[in-house]
Amino acid sequence: MRIVIGQGSCGIAAGAEKVRKALLTTDIPCEDISITGCIGMCYLEPIVDIYDDDEKLTRLVKVSENDAQKIAEFVRTGSEDAVKELFVSEEDKEFLSKQTRIALRNCGIINPEKIDAYIEAGGYQALRKALTQMTPEEVIEVIKTSGLAGRGGAGFPTWFKWNAARQAQGEEKYLICNADEGDPGAFMDRAVIESDPHNLIEGMLIGAYAIGAAHAVVYVRAEYPLAIKRLKNAIEQAKEQGIIGENIFGSGFSCDFMIKAGAGAFVCGEETALIESLEGHRGMPRLKPPFPAQSGFWRKPSNINNVETFANVAWILNNGGEAFASMGTEGSKGTKVFAVTGKIKRSGLVEIPMGKTLRDVIYGICGGVKTDKDFKAVQMGGPSGGCIPKSLIDTVIDYKALGATGAIMGSGGMVVMDESTCMVGMAKFFLDFTAKESCGKCIHCRIGTKRMLEMLDRITKGEGKEGDIELLEELCYSIKDGALCGLGQTAPNPVLTTIKYFRDEYEAHIKDKKCPAGECSDLIEYKIIPERCKGCTLCSKNCPVGAISGTVKNPHTIDTDKCIKCGKCYTVCRFGAVVKE
């Protein structure tokens, strides 16, 4: 019997390491207590899986260190009474059973710190096949047949980029992995590296062989220390077994690996800005053409794909391009990983075939909105994406359909919002991010995003005026047309989509000086309805500025001049006496 504890960043943050240490102090009769990465059920962490030989016996969720003795008793006696409340529910099992996992196939299952675990799961077979049985052109042809498109956001055909780098003139070439995952709410790439680093390495080695590169580089965020640690460990293990280095599998192909920790600039997600950063310069985009395939890292032919793209490569070579292409839609093949966050019951990582709908993900897999409020919108593609309203929840998930809404697939961030979310405030949040992350190289992005942010700030404070919406739209299109790179070209998307689908909220802020969602503090006022107030004093005790007065069992009142609109009184009132206006 084996015990496996989920130890991705989410699991460790929830207390998984404390659980592991507590289990080690018990006299639990099992062969091994080991770790794995994130299974994707982040909302249930810490997670403990108990295996009988190679068959999973049970999954325990939301485990604490205090449950260690209960788990030991269960393993010893087989009695479920001790851990019954920890069993994963049938509903939660649907979270995984409704997914199709390719990029995430090993995540939360194998030990990410042991190369043998990856090899036992079929790892490096695809690399051996490519190096010993296929030409680089044949590898590219399989990727072409699969229809694999870049999963970093643009959705550009992977085979085309590989082929362009393959055919580029020059003996020295570079293959680069973009692991600079900067979207708020996105953590797909981090989870893959933390949970299955050898899968990334294998995909990159296959890509390097295909384009003729002897150098592979992973550009990863420094904010991902666990991912960097496990990737370094995996690289060392692969080197020890001759999988990285000279004459891999006796094929004559050689490739080295390097990790570069980025400083966390969102603009470095753009491939030429990433290359500038790799070379030690400030991360700012280059003019294109020339494209990286002709002149990239150190002005040598280079290919850049993101983590999820490479995570599909080994599976495609093992199963055939046709198998991957059989999933998805005509223009969007295979599966896509999403990080689902926000006002959702089951937050975490979801991998589905293209062609499923937003409803399938939000309600079918993730259980719907976790509050008692109604679903309002979902932000797709992070700060570069857009808000898709409830009326379009049956939109098909593929590049074309999402693009038609004004949003984008992006790298896979999916932030769910309920009716308490102010869409003007949401647009302001994302624009604040992109304005700060602008590298400043081009005027449209540097100045335009700042002017838009100033306008949104005025509107949320009740200082908006007639014509602001039209001016915002004009600015949006000017920035999209004039910005040099993808950051500036997509920065207006959250503003444009919220104006398109929620124009009435903008008008309410400007004309009525009201926030319909009750979220903009400058536009709301808290009052106590005397008929409902029981005089319990809970609101006054929790008011941080003493703005509420009254005696026990008598109605209280709020001094609006003192009130800082923190909303604490509204939250703690059990009788609905405190209202927002």
Side-chain angles (χ1 to χ4, degrees):
M1 190 168 286
R2 297 184 297 116
I3 293 179
V4 180
I5 305 161
Q7 290 214 6
S9 288
C10 53
I12 293 172
E17 179 60 14
K18 293 179 181 178
V19 172
R20 188 186 71 86
K21 290 179 178 178
L23 285 169
L24 290 173
T25 63
T26 67
D27 57 349
I28 191 167
C30 67
E31 299 170 12
D32 185 33
I33 298 177
S34 60
I35 68 165
T36 186
C38 175
I39 193 70
M41 306 171 84
C42 306
Y43 67 106
L44 293 177
E45 296 285 4
I47 296 174
V48 174
D49 289 334
I50 301 175
Y51 289 83
D52 187 1
D53 294 326
D54 289 330
E55 295 295 321
K56 187 168 66 181
L57 187 62
T58 191
R59 170 164 289 156
L60 307 179
V61 299
K62 295 185 178 179
V63 180
S64 76
E65 56 189 310
N66 298 325
D67 296 318
Q69 291 297 338
K70 297 177 184 178
I71 296 172
E73 181 182 345
F74 169 64
V75 173
R76 278 195 305 268
T77 66
S79 173
E80 297 181 355
D81 293 340
V83 292
K84 189 183 300 183
E85 73 277 8
L86 300 177
F87 285 163
V88 63
S89 71
E90 292 301 316
E91 286 186 353
D92 286 322
K93 287 180 182 178
E94 293 181 356
F95 181 84
L96 292 177
S97 65
K98 291 183 177 180
Q99 298 186 37
T100 301
R101 295 197 151 202
I102 294 177
L104 301 180
R105 62 191 178 277
N106 295 323
C107 296
I109 297 173
I110 68 171
N111 189 329
E113 297 184 353
K114 293 185 177 181
I115 191 172
D116 291 344
Y118 182 68
I119 292 173
E120 287 172 10
Y124 292 116
Q125 289 181 5
L127 177 63
R128 185 182 293 275
K129 177 182 178 180
L131 297 187
T132 60
Q133 301 175 33
M134 303 172 72
T135 65
E137 289 77 14
E138 287 173 335
V139 171
I140 292 174
E141 186 61 30
V142 171
I143 299 300
K144 181 179 181 180
T145 301
S146 74
L148 176 65
R151 296 302 194 244
F156 200 76
T158 302
W159 78 270
F160 192 92
K161 293 180 72 172
W162 286 17
N163 193 52
R166 174 76 190 170
Q167 294 180 349
Q169 298 297 314
E171 292 296 319
E172 188 176 13
K173 298 180 181 180
Y174 290 88
L175 183 105
I176 302 168
C177 174
N178 181 351
D180 190 55
E181 188 174 49
D183 291 9
F187 49 93
M188 301 77 60
D189 292 351
R190 187 200 74 205
V192 170
I193 300 174
E194 290 179 355
S195 306
D196 196 12
H198 287 284
N199 185 30
L200 172 61
I201 292 171
E202 184 172 19
M204 290 183 66
L205 286 171
I206 292 169
Y209 173 67
I211 72 170
H215 311 285
V217 184
V218 181
Y219 185 96
V220 61
R221 299 178 69 79
E223 293 94 333
Y224 286 175
L226 183 61
I228 293 172
K229 175 186 174 184
R230 287 182 178 167
L231 184 58
K232 283 182 177 178
N233 176 66
I235 291 171
E236 290 304 314
Q237 291 176 340
K239 285 180 179 178
E240 290 172 3
Q241 298 211 15
I243 295 171
I244 291 175
E246 300 293 322
N247 193 25
I248 301 170
F249 294 141
S251 64
F253 172 69
S254 302
C255 187
D256 57 49
F257 255 78
M258 179 183 84
I259 296 175
K260 165 69 174 179
F266 181 63
V267 73
C268 288
E270 197 278 333
E271 58 182 9
T272 61
L274 185 153
I275 290 171
E276 285 287 302
S277 179
L278 269 178
E279 294 178 354
H281 308 141
R282 182 180 176 186
M284 301 176 81
R286 298 174 179 173
L287 285 170
K288 292 186 288 189
F291 294 93
Q294 287 75 46
S295 178
F297 188 34
W298 300 127
R299 299 302 190 270
K300 306 293 183 181
S302 305
N303 180 88
I304 302 179
N305 291 113
N306 86 321
V307 174
E308 187 185 339
T309 308
F310 286 122
N312 285 291
V313 170
W315 189 95
I316 291 172
L317 259 69
N318 281 328
N319 295 275
E322 296 84 358
F324 192 82
S326 68
M327 295 177 278
T329 63
E330 183 62 31
S332 301
K333 303 296 186 182
T335 61
K336 179 72 187 80
V337 181
F338 293 95
V340 187
T341 59
K343 305 291 182 65
I344 193 78
K345 287 181 181 177
R346 303 172 196 155
S347 59
L349 292 171
V350 172
E351 185 173 3
I352 54 164
M354 299 276 201
K356 294 288 186 180
T357 66
L358 292 172
R359 185 187 298 274
D360 291 331
V361 175
I362 294 169
Y363 285 96
I365 295 176
C366 296
V369 177
K370 68 179 177 182
T371 64
D372 58 356
K373 295 179 172 61
D374 197 13
F375 168 73
K376 186 173 186 177
V378 59
Q379 173 76 11
M380 296 289 296
S384 303
C387 289
I388 301 176
K390 177 183 177 181
S391 60
L392 297 179
I393 194 172
D394 291 309
T395 297
V396 170
I397 296 174
D398 69 11
Y399 291 101
K400 184 176 180 181
L402 289 177
T405 69
I408 61 173
M409 182 85 70
S411 59
M414 189 181 289
V415 183
V416 177
M417 293 163 272
D418 66 16
E419 58 189 347
S420 68
T421 303
C422 173
M423 304 312 294
V424 184
M426 181 59 65
K428 175 185 167 183
F429 169 81
F430 282 115
L431 197 67
D432 177 66
F433 179 86
T434 48
K436 289 175 179 175
E437 292 293 336
S438 172
C439 74
K441 185 169 186 175
C442 58
I443 293 174
H444 287 80
C445 181
R446 181 179 74 242
I447 305 299
T449 54
K450 187 174 182 181
R451 294 289 87 84
M452 286 174 64
L453 181 60
E454 289 171 352
M455 291 179 66
L456 288 170
D457 188 55
R458 282 196 295 101
I459 292 171
T460 57
K461 289 180 177 178
E463 299 169 3
K465 54 182 182 289
E466 289 290 336
D468 276 353
I469 299 176
E470 291 74 20
L471 183 55
L472 272 172
E473 290 179 310
E474 183 181 342
L475 272 170
C476 283
Y477 291 117
S478 294
I479 294 168
K480 286 177 78 73
D481 292 340
L484 176 63
C485 81
L487 188 152
Q489 292 162 8
T490 59
N493 285 346
V495 179
L496 285 172
T497 52
T498 51
I499 290 176
K500 179 179 180 180
Y501 299 117
F502 302 96
R503 193 182 188 97
D504 58 325
E505 290 199 26
Y506 279 85
E507 292 174 345
H509 281 73
I510 294 170
K511 296 177 181 178
D512 304 328
K513 310 302 179 186
K514 293 288 185 182
C515 175
E519 199 173 51
C520 297
S521 59
D522 289 293
L523 300 181
I524 60 175
E525 187 175 300
Y526 289 95
K527 292 184 178 180
I528 296 177
I529 300 176
E531 294 78 14
R532 296 181 188 174
C533 183
K534 306 298 182 182
C536 70
T537 74
L538 201 58
C539 58
S540 62
K541 289 177 180 177
N542 283 274
C543 180
V545 293
I548 302 175
S549 59
T551 57
V552 178
K553 296 185 180 181
N554 288 302
H556 285 46
T557 58
I558 299 176
D559 186 339
T560 55
D561 292 331
K562 288 184 179 180
C563 179
I564 60 172
K565 303 176 183 179
C566 66
K568 190 66 177 178
C569 56
Y570 180 80
T571 303
V572 300
C573 182
R574 296 173 295 183
F575 306 105
V578 182
V579 295
K580 285 193 286 187
E581 293 184 349

